[in-house]
Amino acid sequence: MAHRLSLSILSAAILTISAMTAVTPKSSHSAGSDLRQALSAPYDSWQSTDTQGLSLPSLRGQGLSFAEQYQNKLLGEWSLRNINKSIKMEHDPWIHETVKDMTWRLNAQARQQAPMGLVIIDNPSINAFAAPGGVIGINTGTILAASSMDELASVVAHEVAHISQRHYESGADERKKALLMQIGGMLAAIAASAVDGDAAAAVMMGSQTATMNSSMAFSRNNEREADRVGMQIMTQAGYDPRAMPRFFATMNQQSQLNQVENRFLPSFVRSHPLSNERLSESQSRAQHYPPLSLAEQQRHQALFDLLYWRVQSTGKHASETVLTTAAKNSAGAKLALMQWYGEQQRFDDANEVLAALNKLPAAQRQGLEPLLSITHSQLLAEQGNWAKAADILANQQRLYPERRDLRLYLAEALTNSNQPLQAQALLKPLTQQQPSDRYAWQSLQLANEKLAKTTITPKLANIATINALRYRSHDQLWSGRYDAALTSLTQAKQLADNLQNTAQAGSARPLLANIKAEIKNVKTAQDFEP
C-alpha cells in the first residue's frame, strides 16, 4: 500500500499480553541424539423472499483489481498471523470443522473467493469479526450464547456481508489510513480480551478515539446493509433469517444488563452498534422470509446440540453435575460427559455412557457420527490404545475422506501407533489446501519426529529431522514468530548442507531448494507493513 502506518495500539497490546499455550496433538516420545540437538530451541506450540432493493455483489472478482485483491491477501495474512500470535484459540478439529462448514457455505452465497481463514477464539464474551482478505473470527462465547445453529449462522452471515459489501475498503487514502487503525485496534482488543474483558474495552475505546468517525464502529448504513445482505445469505444457504433478530435481542438484553451493572458492553455490540431502530428493522424484514421446514429445523438443532456441548467440554466450562443433568435429554451432553470421564481417567463411567449411546437406534446413532467415533477414539487414546483408536477413525475417514478433522485425529493416532508415514500422507494435503493450518503443521512435525526416532535407515532419519524443523517453521510463521521460524530453517539448512556433503547428496538438493524458498517467504512476511 502507498501509506505505511505504525500500529502502536496493536504493538503495545501484544507486548503486554502473556503468551498463551496453544493446543498441540498428543505425542509420547523421547528424542534421539540428532533430533534432540536439532530441535533444542525453545518452542511453544499450541486448531421465496422479499429481495426488493437487494443486489448481492458479482461473483467475478468482487469489483476489485488484481492489485487490490493481492493487497487484500497480504493484509489478510498479516492479520491472521497477528491474531494467532497473541490469542488463545479453540483448536478442537471437530468444532473447527463444524463452524468452518457453516462459514464456507454462507460465504459461497456472496463471494467467489473462499475465506482466507477461520479463527475460533477461546473467550467467553460475545464477539465476532472479519478482516480484509476474508479472515473471519468468532468467540466461543458467541457459540454458547446462541440457542440454535441459525442464530450462530446469523452472526457469521453478518460478517460475511461486511466483507462481500467491502465495508472495510475505500479508494480514499485517508480512509485507508483509518482502515489500518481499525485493524490494529481490532487485533489489539481481541488480544486484550483474552486476558481481561475490561482491558479489551479500553483498547477498543482508545482505537475509536484515535480514528474518530472512521473507527471500529461501522456506520449505520453499513450495519443495515450487513443485516439485509446477511439475511439473504442465510436464506440462500438454508438457514432461518428470523434467527438474526432473535440473536440481536439476546445481545440487546445483555447490553442493557451491562449498563445497569456499570459493566462494559459486549465486544460485538461495541464494534457493531445495535440500536433499537436497527433491531426493529431486522425483525420487520425477517417476517418477509418463509419459515424453514420442520425437517431442516430439526437437522440444524441436532448439530447445534453436539456443537454446544463439545464447546462446553473442551473449554472446561461445564462441571460433572451440569453434564450429568443435561445428558438425560441431550445426546451432545452425553458425548461431552463421556469425553469428560475419559479425561478424568474414569474409564468405567465413560464406557457406561458409550454403551448407552451404542444402544440407540441405528439411524439416531448414525446422526452422531463422526463425533461419536471421534469421542470413542479419544477415550481409547487416554488409555494408550492408539492402534484401536486408529482403526475406529480409519473407518470414519473412509466414509468422509474430505473431512479435515478426521484426517487430523487419525494422523495423531497413526503417529502414536508408530505409523508416521501413513500419518504424513493424510496431513500434507491439508497444508496444501490451507497453508495457515497450524494444527496440521504441528501434526506433521510430530510425525517426522517419530519417523526420525523409529526408522532404522540413517538417510530417512536425517530427512525426517530436516522436515520436522521445516514444518515447525511453518507453524511459527503463522503464529507471527518470525525469528523462531528463521532459526528452525537455519538449523534445517545446516543439516541439509551436511547431507549434501555425503553420499546422500541427491536427497539434499530438493530439500535445500525448499528451505531457501521458505526462508525467503518468512523474511517477506516479516518485512510486510500495511
Side-chain angles (χ1 to χ4, degrees):
M1 291 185 179
H3 295 274
R4 293 173 179 264
L5 185 62
S6 175
L7 299 177
S8 58
I9 298 174
L10 173 62
S11 301
I14 291 177
L15 286 173
T16 57
I17 293 171
S18 303
M20 297 293 176
T21 302
V23 174
T24 307
K26 297 177 184 176
S27 178
S28 54
H29 59 269
S30 57
S33 57
D34 289 343
L35 185 64
R36 186 187 305 112
Q37 195 170 20
L39 299 174
S40 59
Y43 174 59
D44 294 326
S45 64
W46 16 288
Q47 277 167 63
S48 167
T49 62
D50 177 12
T51 59
Q52 189 174 21
L54 171 63
S55 177
L56 289 177
S58 166
L59 296 182
R60 297 194 298 270
Q62 305 294 125
L64 297 175
S65 69
F66 176 80
E68 288 173 319
Q69 291 181 55
Y70 180 68
Q71 286 297 326
N72 273 356
K73 175 179 178 290
L74 294 179
L75 190 55
E77 291 173 345
W78 174 85
S79 300
L80 191 56
R81 291 192 297 269
N82 278 284
I83 291 168
N84 285 332
K85 184 176 183 179
S86 304
I87 303 166
K88 184 181 180 183
M89 299 291 182
E90 171 54 78
H91 287 289
D92 180 72
W94 184 87
I95 293 174
H96 198 276
E97 182 76 8
T98 301
V99 179
K100 178 184 175 182
D101 179 68
M102 176 189 68
T103 303
W104 263 236
R105 188 185 312 166
L106 292 164
N107 180 83
Q109 309 308 315
R111 300 180 68 241
Q112 185 180 43
Q113 300 89 348
M116 177 173 292
L118 169 71
V119 292
I120 303 177
I121 300 170
D122 185 6
N123 187 279
S125 65
I126 300 174
N127 200 11
F129 65 91
V135 177
I136 296 175
I138 190 166
N139 282 14
T140 54
T142 307
I143 299 173
L144 298 180
S147 61
S148 68
M149 208 69 185
D150 299 289
E151 289 190 6
L152 186 60
S154 74
V155 176
V156 177
H158 183 97
E159 295 305 320
V160 170
H162 276 308
I163 298 175
S164 71
Q165 302 306 101
R166 300 174 60 187
H167 290 163
Y168 289 96
E169 302 160 39
S170 173
D173 287 342
E174 291 303 313
R175 176 65 184 133
K176 289 182 179 180
K177 289 182 181 180
L179 166 64
L180 299 180
M181 286 291 285
Q182 282 186 34
I183 297 171
M186 176 182 70
L187 298 182
I190 293 168
S193 69
V195 179
D196 185 327
D198 290 354
V203 172
M204 184 76 79
M205 291 169 67
S207 172
Q208 289 175 333
T209 301
T211 56
M212 302 300 287
N213 292 330
S214 296
S215 66
M216 283 297 300
F218 289 105
S219 73
R220 285 183 180 179
N221 288 338
N222 284 349
E223 285 304 299
R224 287 172 177 166
E225 185 173 44
D227 293 346
R228 186 177 71 250
V229 174
M231 283 187 184
Q232 178 71 4
I233 289 171
M234 289 179 69
T235 303
Q236 293 177 181
Y239 294 100
D240 183 6
R242 289 172 172 79
M244 184 176 285
R246 286 201 300 269
F247 196 66
F248 282 171
T250 297
M251 290 190 292
N252 198 37
Q253 291 171 359
Q254 183 67 49
S255 300
Q256 292 174 358
L257 176 63
N258 284 5
Q259 288 174 347
V260 170
E261 297 180 358
N262 294 319
R263 294 164 58 190
F264 286 107
L265 297 176
S267 302
F268 190 82
V269 176
R270 288 198 305 272
S271 57
H272 302 66
L274 181 61
S275 64
N276 289 330
E277 180 185 10
R278 180 180 158 211
L279 178 58
S280 177
E281 285 181 359
S282 67
Q283 290 171 334
S284 175
R285 188 181 300 115
Q287 297 308 311
H288 291 83
Y289 289 89
L292 288 185
S293 68
L294 181 60
E296 288 176 315
Q297 292 177 35
Q298 291 174 338
R299 175 174 58 84
H300 288 169
Q301 201 56 33
L303 179 59
F304 184 75
D305 177 61
L306 299 180
L307 176 63
Y308 178 89
W309 288 107
R310 182 76 174 180
V311 171
Q312 287 278 20
S313 177
T314 59
K316 315 299 181 188
H317 302 301
S319 65
E320 179 183 3
T321 301
V322 170
L323 291 173
T324 303
T325 301
K328 296 175 182 177
N329 301 303
S330 163
K334 282 187 176 71
L335 286 169
L337 180 61
M338 177 178 156
Q339 180 187 22
W340 189 89
Y341 280 143
E343 291 171 349
Q344 301 300 314
Q345 309 294 294
R346 291 169 57 177
F347 302 125
D348 289 341
D349 290 329
N351 284 322
E352 186 177 334
V353 177
L354 176 61
L357 289 167
N358 284 333
K359 290 179 181 178
L360 294 172
Q364 191 174 348
R365 193 169 63 250
Q366 182 58 36
L368 302 179
E369 295 292 4
L371 186 55
L372 175 58
S373 292
I374 290 169
T375 309
H376 186 191
S377 72
Q378 291 178 319
L379 175 60
L380 292 167
E382 290 286 353
Q383 300 171 77
N385 195 344
W386 288 103
K388 188 172 181 181
D391 289 341
I392 290 172
L393 291 166
N395 288 333
Q396 288 295 313
Q397 204 272 328
R398 281 191 288 270
L399 291 174
Y400 308 103
E402 75 287 353
R403 289 189 64 116
R404 169 185 177 270
D405 54 347
L406 288 171
R407 283 177 176 263
L408 290 172
Y409 291 123
L410 178 55
E412 180 184 354
L414 290 170
T415 296
N416 284 283
S417 56
N418 295 317
Q419 301 178 74
L421 284 175
Q422 293 90 326
Q424 185 168 241
L426 286 169
L427 294 166
K428 280 190 173 181
L430 296 181
T431 59
Q432 293 165 356
Q433 296 164 10
Q434 192 75 27
S436 61
D437 191 340
R438 292 182 60 208
Y439 199 118
W441 287 119
Q442 291 179 16
S443 298
L444 272 171
Q445 177 194 336
L446 292 176
N448 278 271
E449 287 179 10
K450 175 70 78 171
L451 183 60
K453 290 177 300 197
T454 57
T455 183
I456 59 174
T457 307
K459 174 183 176 181
L460 187 57
N462 286 334
I463 293 173
T465 301
I466 293 168
N467 283 332
L469 288 161
R470 289 179 54 225
Y471 299 145
R472 186 173 81 176
S473 77
H474 282 277
D475 176 40
Q476 291 165 328
L477 166 63
W478 285 105
S479 60
R481 301 174 61 229
Y482 307 113
D483 290 340
L486 290 172
T487 297
S488 294
L489 289 170
T490 299
Q491 292 172 339
K493 186 176 182 301
Q494 290 171 347
L495 292 175
D497 285 335
N498 293 338
L499 196 63
Q500 178 89 330
N501 297 326
T502 68
Q504 304 165 6
S507 303
R509 279 191 287 273
L511 281 173
L512 281 169
N514 286 333
I515 292 168
K516 289 176 182 177
E518 287 160 349
I519 290 173
K520 182 179 179 181
N521 289 340
V522 173
K523 289 181 177 179
T524 299
Q526 187 175 30
D527 292 341
F528 176 75
E529 294 180 20

